[in-house]
Amino acid sequence: MLNRPIVSLKNVHKIFKVKSADVHIIKGVSLDIFKGEFVGLVGPSGSGKSTLLNMILGLEEITSGEVELLGQPVKPEFADRVSEIRRRKIGIIYQQPIWIRSLTVLENVAFPLLLEGFNRKVALREATEALATTGMLKWKKYYPQDLSVGQQQRVALARALVNNPDIIFADEPTGNLDIRNSEALVKMLHNLTKENKTVVMITHNLDNLDDVDRIVQLVDGQIVDDIKVSDLNVEQLTDEHLAKIFFENEKKFKRKTEELSIPTTSEKSKQNINLVRSLKNFFSSNLNFILSLTSILMGIFLSYLFTILVQLKLIFKKNDLSFSDEEKRLSNKNPLAFLFHPRGSIDGITYKQLLSISIKNLLGKKLRTSVTVGGISLGIAFTVLLVSLGFGIERLVISNIASLNQIKQIDIYPSVNTQLELTLEDLETLKQVEQIETYYPIISLASKVRYLGSDVDVVGYGVTDEYLQNSDLNVVRGSFFKNSPNSIILNKSLLDIIDPNNTLNIGDEVELSVRSTADLNTDIISDYEKFVVSGIILDTENPIVYLPIENFQKLGISNFTEARISVYSEDDVENVRTLIESKGYATRSVLDTINEIRSIFNTSRIVLGGVGIVGLIIAAFGMFNTLTVSLLERTREVALMKAIGMLPPEVRALFFTESVTMGVMGGVLGLFLSYFAGFLVSLLYSFLSTSEGSFNFTDLTYTPLFFVILILLGSAIIGILTGIYPSKRAEKISSVYALRYE
Ligand code: ADP
Ligand code: MG
């Protein structure tokens, strides 16, 4: 063992500041540890053993002195490299194992490899192998917290070994174990040194020292003894050194006689099985199943997306995380790595794994998660429902006023007090405007209709068939002109006067004479002429007729009374109107009415949306609370992940993933809920508004796509906002917590 030490401490000091007083805990420790050694670090409780170990691992800041771990100086500025070493070359076992409680034995053991970016399959295979080494393979499907302490410790050893570490640090690994389990564990550690691994074990237990190569004794922060066991015989060791070493802690060496307890399927896993069973029953024949499943899938997908987006900015700041140039090459930098790894390089845990851990965490706290997600989704459902009802009722009202066609139409006519005329040339010139699709000229003349001897004053509209087709007239009988020049269409009001006995049929003849005295500065009085009734319409209260425009034109009228202009899109209406009006014409559009209605609805939507948002904010507080509480519960878990070598961006990403997942699931579920509630409301409305037998479903709600997107974005933002504080806190949790035994 003449090679370089793999752990080296030079005159290391540690001073804790406790309430402005300095407490000197480590007082000038120098120590070299070499490859293949099995070092027993002993000393009374409080002598600073754990503190020393934390400093070697870069988990506790070094007050002064030099520490090198596997050739890497341990200093705050190299924190990420030291993390990398912990992740790749170090295995750690604590007195009390700490578990990611939502993961099984196998998954916990595989976790360090997932952190290194191995794919799940490989990680699980290696974990299986490691579990086999420590004889724990048959418990792989259990949750570690359900096993006995002795078994947990063997799983912890498997986890420490899974990344094939160079050094294993064990801080009082047998502290909670009975003699049989202790012996077994120390034997396993000893065997590791035969594979050229180095083991540093902190211990209180005399029996553990049977197998070590070297005993380093720490008393009051100083090394008081450092002996190679091979230099002594066992007699000397027990008599001289061990007696001295353990003088303070005699009681602790009394052998515990408790037997290894056989783990049973714990209450907890039984509960889990029951829960799964009842959930299955619940979902099996239920609409909820489809809703939840879709919601979960979409939620997963979207939260994946959003988490990456949140992380993107953070990644571009970090890049020099690699271990060495050679490893950089090996790590095979992938320009797209940022899409899959919070660390931005492929030698890091993937978002997929983080997501899977997050979801397991969320599922592990089913009640809490469903209350939280339920709160968010109710808040969102409420908001969406109110706003969708606003949109839907507006749509309903508007569709009762005008069709989509009509919204795109502008009526244009010469202003009353101008000499302006509206001729075919004027219309053709207007049609050059690119937003204008087409125009329909109209000549309206005061006329008289005669039928069965009675004369009625009407307004006669000379129009084209196209005009009628695009006017959404309510035809109750017959049809439009169908190219027949002497057709006429009557409205119901006229029919009621001339045909009180309902004897007139489509195809019957009526007579019409133009009696225009004031219009168009021309006095025209034409003879009665016969027209064939082609259709009856319901529209307007005054008696009117429509007839083909040629009938008026042949009377010598070349100017139009008005024209209806159709534009390509509703958005063009305002511009085109301004243009037309600038030429001196007056215009009319149903949009005037519609805009009034819209402005009323806009106001009400803002109010309704505001009410909903207040609900959402309350729900968001609930979520924030859940996340914070869950973080407090998982302090040790987070500390452990960091001790294993998880980097701050990964810790942050994990918590973001959870909060964004909850937020987005709330959003997606909320949308479904609101659709469902909207459907029920519409159904109720449809029933109530049905008068004569025939049931007609009217959808009262309308959720524009932009609003759906807004809601999903909003719920992700809620997830992100509520995740900021807990993830920041998680990021800052000191890994030293992992070593503190409670
Ligand atoms: P050992 O592992 O040998 O039992 P520790 O290294 O855990 O001892 O602790 C050594 C001493 O340092 C103890 O007195 C403990 O109270 C103190 N100590 C450890 N961590 C802190 C801290 N963060 N702040 C103040 N004192 C600390
Ligand atoms: Mg300790």
Side-chain angles (χ1 to χ4, degrees):
M1 279 175 218
L2 293 169
N3 44 6
R4 263 181 77 189
I6 57 175
V7 177
S8 158
L9 291 87
K10 287 199 181 70
N11 197 23
V12 170
H13 288 263
K14 177 70 194 181
I15 297 171
F16 282 113
K17 290 219 182 326
V18 183
K19 288 180 192 162
S20 79
D22 286 352
V23 188
H24 208 154
I25 298 295
I26 301 293
K27 303 164 176 170
V29 167
S30 297
L31 174 70
D32 285 337
I33 295 170
F34 295 90
K35 195 167 186 183
E37 280 189 316
F38 186 1
V39 179
L41 181 59
V42 298
S45 180
S47 58
K49 305 179 297 290
S50 296
T51 306
L52 200 65
L53 177 58
N54 282 334
M55 288 196 289
I56 294 172
L57 291 170
L59 301 175
E60 188 82 83
E61 206 174 315
I62 298 152
T63 309
S64 72
E66 308 269 316
V67 175
E68 259 188 41
L69 178 61
L70 286 162
Q72 167 69 50
V74 178
K75 289 183 176 158
E77 61 260 41
F78 302 127
D80 285 338
R81 288 183 175 210
V82 177
S83 274
E84 182 106 23
I85 293 184
R86 285 204 303 275
R87 206 161 47 236
R88 295 189 171 191
K89 318 246 164 159
I90 306 287
I92 313 174
I93 322 173
Y94 304 109
Q95 176 172 359
Q96 187 190 24
I98 303 164
W99 304 112
I100 299 170
R101 299 175 69 86
S102 56
L103 303 184
T104 62
V105 163
L106 187 65
E107 289 166 333
N108 264 287
V109 174
F111 183 76
L113 292 182
L114 294 178
L115 265 187
E116 268 190 70
F118 282 90
N119 79 37
R120 196 176 154 82
K121 224 180 194 170
V122 176
L124 292 182
R125 196 184 60 215
E126 295 291 317
T128 307
E129 213 166 277
L131 279 172
T133 326
T134 63
M136 285 303 293
L137 193 52
K138 65 174 168 176
W139 308 108
K140 68 177 183 181
K141 294 218 168 108
Y142 284 73
Y143 286 92
Q145 59 268 25
D146 297 340
L147 301 180
S148 76
V149 200
Q151 291 174 316
Q152 287 192 39
Q153 214 49 322
R154 288 208 256 161
V155 177
L157 180 59
R159 177 173 64 187
L161 294 177
V162 77
N163 57 347
N164 189 24
D166 291 349
I167 316 177
I168 293 102
F169 289 97
D171 191 352
E172 315 215 20
T174 62
N176 287 354
L177 300 186
D178 58 76
I179 182 69
R180 240 175 67 197
N181 281 306
S182 293
E183 271 173 11
L185 190 72
V186 175
K187 276 275 176 303
M188 284 182 211
L189 289 172
H190 175 66
N191 287 338
L192 292 172
T193 59
K194 290 179 192 159
E195 297 166 24
N196 230 357
K197 294 188 190 305
T198 310
V199 178
V200 178
M201 176 177 68
I202 294 174
T203 188
H204 264 122
N205 197 332
L206 175 111
D207 300 298
N208 292 346
L209 295 173
D210 289 349
D211 292 308
V212 303
D213 304 323
R214 182 178 166 191
I215 301 172
V216 176
Q217 191 192 0
L218 196 68
V219 173
D220 194 19
Q222 285 174 310
I223 292 179
V224 296
D225 220 337
D226 184 351
I227 47 168
K228 281 220 164 65
V229 175
S230 54
D231 297 346
L232 308 164
N233 65 47
V234 180
E235 248 54 46
Q236 275 178 301
L237 179 70
T238 21
D239 289 343
E240 293 173 25
H241 287 95
L242 295 185
K244 181 173 149 203
I245 287 166
F246 297 111
F247 62 98
E248 287 200 27
N249 299 306
E250 250 176 56
K251 278 181 215 149
K252 293 197 175 168
F253 308 130
K254 283 190 180 156
R255 297 183 175 190
K256 296 175 188 166
T257 45
E258 56 176 87
E259 278 305 307
L260 196 149
S261 59
I262 291 155
T264 53
T265 311
S266 73
E267 282 307 304
K268 203 167 168 197
S269 355
K270 270 183 202 155
Q271 272 173 15
N272 282 342
I273 291 164
N274 283 337
L275 225 144
V276 168
R277 206 170 283 148
S278 51
L279 277 178
K280 272 182 187 156
N281 285 340
F282 176 71
F283 283 140
S284 55
S285 64
N286 228 311
L287 172 74
N288 281 338
F289 175 69
I290 303 157
L291 291 186
S292 318
L293 196 73
T294 324
S295 147
I296 287 170
L297 288 179
M298 275 177 73
I300 288 172
F301 174 72
L302 286 169
S303 44
Y304 179 71
L305 219 70
F306 283 121
T307 315
I308 292 174
L309 287 178
V310 173
Q311 290 282 321
L312 265 185
K313 203 186 105 238
L314 308 160
I315 286 147
F316 286 125
K317 279 195 292 191
K318 300 227 169 207
N319 34 39
D320 184 33
L321 292 174
S322 285
F323 187 55
S324 69
D325 284 344
E326 207 218 337
E327 295 226 355
K328 216 184 232 169
R329 265 201 307 284
L330 287 176
S331 84
N332 172 15
K333 285 264 175 198
N334 181 332
L336 287 179
F338 71 85
L339 275 179
F340 308 103
H341 305 261
R343 223 185 299 159
S345 78
I346 65 162
D347 49 346
I349 192 163
T350 57
Y351 279 113
K352 200 172 131 202
Q353 293 310 326
L354 286 180
L355 194 65
S356 129
I357 294 172
S358 305
I359 288 166
K360 280 175 186 154
N361 272 328
L362 293 176
L363 292 180
K365 299 274 179 204
K366 285 191 188 69
L367 183 65
R368 184 192 292 166
T369 306
S370 29
V371 167
T372 313
V373 172
I376 289 280
S377 60
L378 281 181
I380 284 175
F382 190 53
T383 315
V384 175
L385 181 65
L386 291 181
V387 174
S388 302
L389 277 174
F391 277 115
I393 294 171
E394 178 193 78
R395 189 182 60 169
L396 202 66
V397 170
I398 289 172
S399 74
N400 280 337
I401 293 170
S403 70
L404 281 176
N405 251 336
Q406 280 173 298
I407 291 173
K408 290 191 286 187
Q409 290 169 351
I410 304 164
D411 287 338
I412 137 172
Y413 50 97
S415 304
V416 192
N417 48 2
T418 58
Q419 296 299 316
L420 210 63
E421 293 181 332
L422 187 59
T423 62
L424 194 61
E425 295 85 75
D426 295 333
L427 287 175
E428 280 299 321
T429 319
L430 263 182
K431 211 191 156 190
Q432 308 293 309
V433 176
E434 62 172 342
Q435 290 98 327
I436 295 179
E437 187 181 6
T438 186
Y439 64 82
Y440 312 107
I442 303 163
I443 299 173
S444 57
L445 292 173
S447 310
K448 272 185 189 295
V449 168
R450 176 180 289 170
Y451 178 67
L452 296 178
S454 65
D455 285 353
V456 179
D457 286 317
V458 298
V459 182
Y461 290 97
V463 294
T464 58
D465 240 344
E466 293 78 51
Y467 169 86
L468 295 173
Q469 277 152 16
N470 285 288
S471 292
D472 305 297
L473 292 171
N474 203 343
V475 183
V476 282
R477 281 154 67 190
S479 63
F480 299 143
F481 308 142
K482 289 189 183 156
N483 295 325
S484 162
N486 65 336
S487 297
I488 194 166
I489 293 168
L490 317 180
N491 75 344
K492 194 79 170 44
S493 310
L494 174 59
L495 201 65
D496 289 344
I497 303 168
I498 60 172
D499 180 33
N501 301 325
N502 274 329
T503 53
L504 189 142
N505 290 318
I506 300 296
D508 286 357
E509 285 181 347
V510 295
E511 287 178 288
L512 178 130
S513 143
V514 172
R515 294 296 161 96
S516 172
T517 46
D519 290 346
L520 306 165
N521 304 321
T522 23
D523 286 358
I524 299 166
I525 299 179
S526 70
D527 294 334
Y528 275 104
E529 221 180 299
K530 285 196 164 104
F531 287 91
V532 178
V533 176
S534 73
I536 307 292
I537 56 169
L538 213 53
D539 306 71
T540 58
E541 284 175 20
N542 305 318
I544 59 161
V545 296
Y546 286 105
L547 58 161
I549 193 165
E550 307 92 83
N551 292 297
F552 288 160
Q553 283 170 323
K554 75 183 181 197
L555 297 175
I557 298 164
S558 54
N559 292 349
F560 302 116
T561 324
E562 58 182 285
R564 181 161 284 181
I565 282 174
S566 174
V567 294
Y568 284 106
S569 139
E570 190 192 323
D571 303 332
D572 297 331
V573 171
E574 276 317 306
N575 290 335
V576 173
R577 277 182 88 177
T578 318
L579 180 93
I580 294 170
E581 282 169 9
S582 74
K583 297 189 173 185
Y585 296 103
T587 62
R588 223 187 295 120
S589 156
V590 279
L591 263 189
D592 294 338
T593 321
I594 289 171
N595 282 340
E596 267 171 45
I597 295 170
R598 281 189 181 151
S599 85
I600 295 169
F601 275 101
N602 267 338
T603 319
S604 70
R605 262 199 303 271
I606 290 170
V607 174
L608 294 180
V611 170
I613 282 167
V614 170
L616 258 187
I617 289 173
I618 294 168
F621 272 109
M623 192 161 117
F624 177 77
N625 183 52
T626 304
L627 285 168
T628 314
V629 170
S630 132
L631 173 68
L632 290 179
E633 281 179 3
R634 286 197 283 152
T635 305
R636 282 166 68 80
E637 217 173 281
V638 173
L640 170 93
M641 295 193 250
K642 289 181 115 178
I644 292 178
M646 195 168 191
L647 290 184
E650 291 167 328
V651 175
R652 199 169 45 211
L654 178 65
F655 277 81
F656 264 129
T657 313
E658 262 173 55
S659 66
V660 175
T661 305
M662 282 208 274
V664 175
M665 277 184 183
V668 177
L669 203 65
L671 283 173
F672 277 115
L673 272 179
S674 81
Y675 278 130
F676 192 63
F679 173 74
L680 290 183
V681 172
S682 301
L683 203 63
L684 194 70
Y685 168 82
S686 305
F687 269 121
L688 293 179
S689 62
T690 302
S691 43
E692 299 129 26
S694 68
F695 176 74
N696 218 343
F697 181 74
T698 312
D699 192 356
L700 266 193
T701 63
Y702 169 61
T703 322
L705 184 65
F706 88 87
F707 192 64
V708 173
I709 294 170
L710 199 76
I711 286 295
L712 289 177
L713 272 174
S715 56
I717 287 170
I718 290 175
I720 290 165
L721 288 182
T722 50
I724 287 175
Y725 173 73
S727 60
K728 271 241 153 65
R729 268 201 47 182
E731 192 184 338
K732 292 215 175 88
I733 285 175
S734 164
S735 24
V736 176
Y737 278 117
L739 288 161
R740 229 167 253 163
Y741 174 60
E742 281 143 22

